[in-house]
Amino acid sequence: TELERDAMRLRSDPQTTADQRLESLLSDDVFLRQAAATGLVQTDQLGNLDRPASPQQGVGLISAWRWKELSAPHTVSAEARREWLEWGLSSDSDEVLVAAIRWATERDCKDQLPTIRGLLERNELSPQVLSATIGSVAYLETGSASARKRDPASEQLLVNFAGNASRSPKLRAMAIRQIPDESETPVDSQIGQWVSEQRDRNLASELIRLMTARGTKSASDQLAALADDEMLDLQSRADALAGLSRQAGTYASLVNRLSRPNQPAILRQEAQRILKRTWAADKQTRPQREDIDAWNELVGSGGDADAGRSVFSLTTCINCHAHSGRGAKTGPDLTTLAGQMTSHRLLESILLPSKEVG
């Protein structure tokens, strides 16, 4: 095909210029971009190019220099690598930053450690850049990396970052989300204190989700205390109460008390969900399971993300699926589901899960 011929030309044609390959790094086709980067290496054209204006070209050129050094280390000088890394690590593009961090970490460039660590001081970080930076700093400082789910050095950096009250709640919440459920730190009492001290809903939500995922007696005791804390905002109390759904028997006194008519509606509703008191009434008004159109009309186009998060945690969803770093890995991760499926298709997957299995 024409695309295959273009890729072959970009990979190996000596008549194709460096500027033509640089232009091809802007292609929407990932195979053409890779062919262009490969061609820049194989035809030794990298030295003829200046720093690009486009982030996409920047990623391609950093990747090409990285491949060149991996395949023939003696052909890339320390000075050339340093200049490209300094350029990449000063970028405002997440993609360029991650590419530069990866290259610096692979080559064990401890001279870049202060710059990489300095990225953690930025006021805005994406989850990808935060994760890459934490991993890089942990490796460059300790000289080791874990291939397993957990890495002690990375975890400690995340805990330190999350515990820094001078950082924005948004960034602290991002760090909490990346701490594995099995991590022993921060301890549950510390998490409970952070929730009580911090009034940001997003941060409180991530802290409560971490304790819910742990499911230990200590974590559940903290959730019970938060659910009963009248100084805390009602939605965070409801989140904490939902986190107790799997230990409802142990905390029956609290759940029953919060289900009474004199309690705020949001807490009463959450407690009644746990006690399943609404199920009988709901069953009378539910459409038949197979009537997807009726369910689609019932659900409508709106929604309540807090209620959805609660239902996800206290029903069987979380037993198979993960969302935003919490849950099981048996079924597909649902984090990026929004916008990827129609509501009709999503309802069908929930109501008739065996109809189509990926």
Side-chain angles (χ1 to χ4, degrees), residues 156-174:
Q156 191 56 55
L157 286 168
L158 286 169
V159 171
N160 293 343
F161 189 96
N164 186 347
S166 68
R167 303 315 305 267
S168 71
K170 176 183 175 181
L171 291 178
R172 293 178 68 192
M174 196 182 297

Side-chain angles (χ1 to χ4, degrees), residues 211 216-226 244 250-251:
M211 286 194 290
T216 61
K217 178 66 165 59
S218 172
S220 296
D221 285 345
Q222 288 295 323
L223 291 172
L226 292 172
L244 296 173
T250 304
Y251 302 94

